[in-house]
Amino acid sequence: MAPLGADAVAAAWAALRARAVAPMLRAAVWACLVMSVMLVVEAACMSLVSLVAVRLLRRRPERRYKWEPMPGAAVGDDVEDPPLDCGEFPRVLVQIPMYNEKEVYKLSIGAACALTWPPDRIIIQVLDDSTDPLIKELVELECQDWASKKININYEVRDNRKGYKAGALKKGMEHIYAQQCDFIAIFDADFQPESDFLLKTIPFLVHNPKIALVQTRWEFVNYGVCLMTRIQKMSLDYHFKVEQESGSFMHAFFGFNGTAGVWRVSAINESGGWKDRTTVEDMDLAVRAGLKGWEFLYVGDIRVKSELPSTFKAYRHQQHRWTCGAANLFRKMAWEIVTNKGVSIWKKYHLLYSFFFVRRVIAPILTFLFYCIVIPLSAMVPEVSIPVWGLVYIPTAITIMNAIRNPRSLHLMPFWILFENVMSLHRMRAALTGLLETAHANDWVVTEKVGDLVKDDLDIPLLEPLRPTECVERIYVTELLLAFYLLICASYDFVLGSHTYYMYIYLQAFAFVILGFGFVGTKTPCS
């Protein structure tokens, strides 16, 4: 039998398109358009609240809640040892959970020990789950060194890592001295609060008994190291400026970021304490406290220094933990939210639809499905057309809303779009893993940090070659397969197609190739 000619192949593809591909693709297009509308409406509402109510109307936290300085405290003044009236100060526990944090343990412990607060009213608690004996010894010696300077610091270890961070925090609260404290400030190992952190945050809790949590904003010491960290800063700035700010203003609720926040101990206890059923123990506690009627406050003017993941591998692990854990928590708590009788229907709606469904489920699935699968495939199926409002207007609107809150990073928006689309592959997979609660739903990988090492070389290019031929683990096969798929779709559209999608698809394919070969982030030794 003679091989099929080009005309026969084209005819067969046309028949397959008409009978099977086009109907399924058309349904996928409209499903994506519906989800796009949901996403853009949610983003517009949050941006409007954040921009108008918080920025234009100046509805600052100090105007909405009572705030008075602690007795004798000179907040913001250049006073080394302000005279503090110890009798008026509540007891505060500062928890620092860590796991093999050789690069940053000194930074966080030193910053915590430098916090301005009466010495007999503050306890520093280092919760070390390290498995490396050398690192454990170094951390313990650091604690002993601060203790010799009359700092009330306790070095606590466990004989296992059950529950990971949640388990460590829960174990730390079981100590008698911890149970005597009124508030708990939590800092991850790479966070460095300013000395007046407690003087600025605790008054909100002291004077407003309904507030359970005061969350502050993250500031990044290494955001300029490479293009990937600059893109991360753009996304996290939007998260704090829009999502956290609008949630705090509209609903007095948002997801705890797990660090750089101060909790009321009674709120933690009333909500059931720390649980390790997901990889987002911070969000879990926040949701349960919200269902008990507690209020949360975000204070964006207070910033805490921290570190962004500077390698693609570390960033992938972090995003998997955050996305998978949130989706898994939605699965576990949806019915509990529905049946809860302690909050209003409006707050239930916010939790179920806005906080969980749209932002934690729809967003990662839509981004990958629409921009990396449906649009490229539609370039090969002329029977299916995507409305211009879904193809152009909605993505442009979302981009503009992000750009407004990141005006200094406007020139990086094209890179942000392409990078976020590549990351949507991992976020969608993580979201489905959490929703379906597969075997990897509770995988926990601690984000690698570099600490002061980042200061040794600030001249790292925006795209640092990682020489994947020297290290096979830096080649990401899934990204390369997606790049191949996108190249086929773009080339078909360029040569035979009736659309002009190929310009975008080629750029997206190029982004998948760059990340697939590990040409992003900073260079780290092969393990």
Side-chain angles (χ1 to χ4, degrees):
M1 180 179 294
L4 292 175
D7 293 341
V9 172
W13 170 236
L16 180 62
R17 288 201 316 258
R19 293 178 182 178
V21 178
M24 291 189 295
L25 184 59
R26 193 174 291 112
V29 165
W30 282 105
C32 289
L33 292 177
V34 171
M35 290 189 288
S36 296
V37 171
M38 296 166 61
L39 191 60
V40 74
V41 169
E42 175 67 16
C45 291
M46 291 190 300
S47 297
L48 187 64
V49 170
S50 174
L51 191 61
V52 176
V54 180
R55 295 301 174 187
L56 299 183
L57 300 181
R58 302 292 182 181
R59 297 293 292 165
R60 299 168 62 86
E62 294 84 355
R63 296 179 60 183
R64 294 165 45 219
Y65 292 93
K66 183 179 180 181
W67 189 97
E68 295 179 0
M70 301 303 294
V75 181
D77 295 343
D78 294 328
V79 180
E80 293 184 2
D81 297 304
L84 304 179
D85 184 359
C86 300
E88 298 293 331
F89 279 71
R91 294 183 182 275
V92 178
L93 176 68
V94 179
Q95 291 184 314
I96 309 176
M98 56 178 58
Y99 171 75
N100 292 337
E101 308 285 3
K102 181 180 179 180
E103 294 79 12
V104 294
Y105 73 93
K106 284 189 175 182
L107 301 177
S108 57
I109 295 176
C113 292
L115 289 170
T116 301
W117 205 255
D120 63 336
R121 296 281 173 170
I122 184 173
I123 303 173
I124 312 298
Q125 186 184 63
V126 178
L127 305 169
D128 190 10
D129 273 0
S130 300
T131 54
D132 188 324
L134 176 60
I135 297 177
K136 292 182 70 172
E137 183 179 356
L138 291 174
V139 176
E140 185 175 11
L141 288 174
E142 182 71 10
C143 293
Q144 291 175 357
D145 183 50
W146 282 105
S148 66
K149 301 174 184 178
K150 298 183 179 180
I151 298 296
N152 191 353
I153 185 170
N154 292 267
Y155 176 73
E156 307 290 355
V157 296
R158 301 187 292 164
D159 56 3
N160 61 75
R161 289 190 66 213
K162 185 180 183 301
Y164 302 106
K165 181 180 176 180
L169 294 171
K170 182 178 180 179
K171 185 69 174 179
M173 290 184 65
E174 293 177 358
H175 296 279
I176 295 177
Y177 64 83
Q179 297 173 4
Q180 296 173 346
C181 294
D182 303 294
F183 306 107
I184 296 180
I186 302 174
F187 301 102
D188 282 351
D190 58 312
F191 278 71
Q192 306 167 57
E194 297 293 335
S195 60
D196 60 356
F197 177 87
L198 296 178
L199 296 177
K200 290 181 177 180
T201 55
I202 295 294
F204 284 112
L205 294 160
V206 169
H207 299 299
N208 303 276
K210 291 185 178 180
I211 295 180
L213 165 69
V214 174
Q215 174 70 58
T216 62
R217 184 175 167 182
W218 299 358
E219 190 173 54
F220 312 107
V221 297
N222 66 329
Y223 75 92
V225 166
C226 61
L227 180 59
M228 190 182 75
T229 52
R230 296 183 187 184
I231 291 174
Q232 288 180 65
K233 183 180 184 298
M234 292 170 61
S235 297
L236 286 170
D237 280 349
Y238 176 84
H239 166 70
F240 282 106
K241 291 179 181 179
V242 176
E243 294 181 347
Q244 300 296 74
E245 213 164 57
S246 63
S248 176
F249 182 83
M250 285 291 291
H251 313 280
F253 172 81
F254 48 82
F256 175 42
N257 292 112
T259 179
V262 186
W263 275 93
R264 188 184 301 272
V265 173
S266 59
I268 295 178
N269 294 333
E270 183 183 336
S271 304
W274 295 101
K275 294 186 178 181
D276 58 3
R277 55 182 175 174
T278 69
T279 57
V280 286
E281 75 296 324
D282 42 14
M283 186 183 295
D284 189 344
L285 177 60
V287 173
R288 285 184 280 113
L291 293 177
K292 291 289 185 180
W294 288 99
E295 296 181 1
F296 298 169
L297 176 63
Y298 168 71
V299 187
D301 291 337
I302 304 176
R303 305 188 181 194
V304 180
K305 295 178 182 178
S306 62
E307 180 184 319
L308 291 165
S310 57
T311 66
F312 185 46
K313 181 179 179 181
Y315 185 59
R316 282 181 55 177
H317 286 315
Q318 181 199 71
Q319 294 301 299
H320 175 88
R321 187 173 74 245
W322 288 358
T323 307
C324 176
N328 191 229
L329 183 63
F330 178 47
R331 171 192 173 106
K332 286 180 164 65
M333 292 206 67
W335 183 246
E336 183 178 342
I337 296 172
V338 171
T339 58
N340 182 274
K341 298 180 180 180
V343 297
S344 65
I345 295 178
W346 172 241
K347 193 163 188 177
K348 290 182 183 181
Y349 169 81
H350 169 67
L351 276 170
L352 288 171
Y353 177 79
S354 175
F355 184 76
F356 275 119
F357 186 62
V358 175
R359 284 189 257 165
R360 270 77 191 184
V361 178
I362 292 296
I365 293 177
L366 169 67
T367 305
F368 176 73
L369 183 63
F370 191 41
Y371 299 106
C372 299
I373 300 296
V374 172
I375 292 178
L377 185 58
S378 65
M380 302 176 63
V381 184
E383 294 86 352
V384 176
S385 62
I386 303 176
V388 66
W389 57 267
L391 189 65
V392 178
Y393 297 158
I394 286 182
T396 302
I398 294 175
T399 303
I400 290 175
M401 283 184 281
N402 190 289
I404 289 175
R405 304 315 302 269
N406 290 281
R408 296 182 180 178
S409 301
L410 186 62
H411 61 292
L412 296 177
M413 290 307 296
F415 298 101
W416 175 80
I417 293 170
L418 296 174
F419 182 79
E420 286 296 298
N421 286 348
V422 176
M423 286 305 303
S424 69
L425 164 66
H426 305 287
R427 294 193 182 106
M428 184 203 68
R429 185 164 53 190
L432 293 177
T433 298
L435 283 174
L436 301 176
E437 203 167 29
T438 65
H440 298 287
N442 291 314
D443 285 355
W444 182 290
V445 179
V446 176
T447 305
E448 298 174 358
K449 306 172 186 70
V450 297
D452 286 335
L453 295 178
V454 73
K455 300 177 183 178
D456 296 338
D457 185 6
L458 296 179
D459 298 324
I460 301 175
L462 292 183
L463 293 174
E464 174 69 22
L466 292 180
R467 298 182 183 178
T469 54
E470 296 181 8
C471 188
V472 178
E473 68 184 37
R474 290 176 180 153
I475 297 179
Y476 302 97
V477 178
T478 307
E479 280 84 346
L480 295 178
L481 291 176
L482 260 296
F484 182 68
Y485 161 76
L486 292 171
L487 288 172
I488 292 176
C489 295
S491 300
Y492 183 94
D493 188 34
F494 179 72
V495 177
L496 302 173
S498 57
H499 304 292
T500 56
Y501 302 163
Y502 61 86
M503 292 183 288
Y504 155 73
I505 302 174
Y506 272 132
L507 288 174
Q508 192 60 66
F510 183 62
F512 270 98
V513 169
I514 290 177
L515 271 72
F517 280 116
F519 286 82
V520 68
T522 57
K523 188 183 302 183
T524 55
C526 297
S527 57

